[in-house]
Amino acid sequence: MKGGLQWVADGLFPRGGNPHGLLPALLILLAMVTGIVDAVSYLGLGRVFVANMTGNIVFLGFALVGGGDLSKWAPPLSLACFGTGAWSAGLLTRQVGNARRAFTIATTVHAVLVAAGLVVALTAGHHTAGARAALIALLACGMGLQNASVRALGVPDLVTNVLTTTLTGLAADTPGRAAFRRFASVAAMFLGALAGATLHLNIGPAAALTLALVLLAIVALAARGRS
């Protein structure tokens, strides 16, 4: 498996120019996780995102003036839990003193949070306010951990949460390997959203969260061997 991940990672840079080991390929997998969990949260938890905080800020503004059937409590809960996760990852990185090791720990914790969300989905469902709140809190905290720990790595042009800047670069900059990396992030998040929505709508949120958990486990195990 690591050989395949290394091949993908190396292919995102000019020949012999990948100084990041497996990380580029692992970030592609994490972009897929983002698409999966946001599909679950938006489609099943009341029109809220657990990864895209820009969307939550806009949704909260809409909700406060009575726009549509948007929740007034879900976006701020997601924002608070995402912020908690990001703060925790920043603290972890400073204490560990090694961004790659901190990334491995943060990804492992993220996997535990998604596993807890899977337990909630299997035992309590996702229709009651309490179950939705628990799922939003767990998933948003995990995405905060992911975003902050990835940011500390400094791998260029590969993002796992927000694509606006990435899309701007794709449109505005000269084509090259950087554009290829950006496109890979966009494609991965799209495929994650497609898979997450398909599983959620046809089977249920537990199926989508299981896929996210499998991807996180792969990332955590692969990163552990190189941290």
Side-chain angles (χ1 to χ4, degrees), residues 13 19-28 30 89-90 93 97-107 145-160 219 223 226-227:
F13 291 84
H20 306 286
L22 294 177
L23 287 176
L26 302 185
L27 299 190
I28 296 299
L30 290 183
T93 301
N98 182 304
R100 292 197 180 198
R101 189 174 299 123
F103 169 75
T104 302
I105 297 170
T107 303
L145 281 166
Q146 175 179 305
N147 202 38
S149 62
V150 168
R151 179 174 176 266
L153 293 173
V155 179
D157 308 306
L158 287 169
V159 297
T160 64
V219 173
R226 298 298 180 94
S227 60

Side-chain angles (χ1 to χ4, degrees), residues 88-133:
S88 300
L91 180 63
L92 173 67
T93 301
R94 291 189 293 273
Q95 290 185 339
V96 171
N98 182 304
R100 292 197 180 198
R101 189 174 299 123
F103 169 75
T104 302
I105 297 170
T107 303
T108 302
V109 175
H110 189 181
V112 171
L113 292 172
V114 171
L118 177 58
V119 171
V120 172
L122 289 171
T123 58
H126 67 287
H127 296 294
T128 67
R132 287 183 175 183

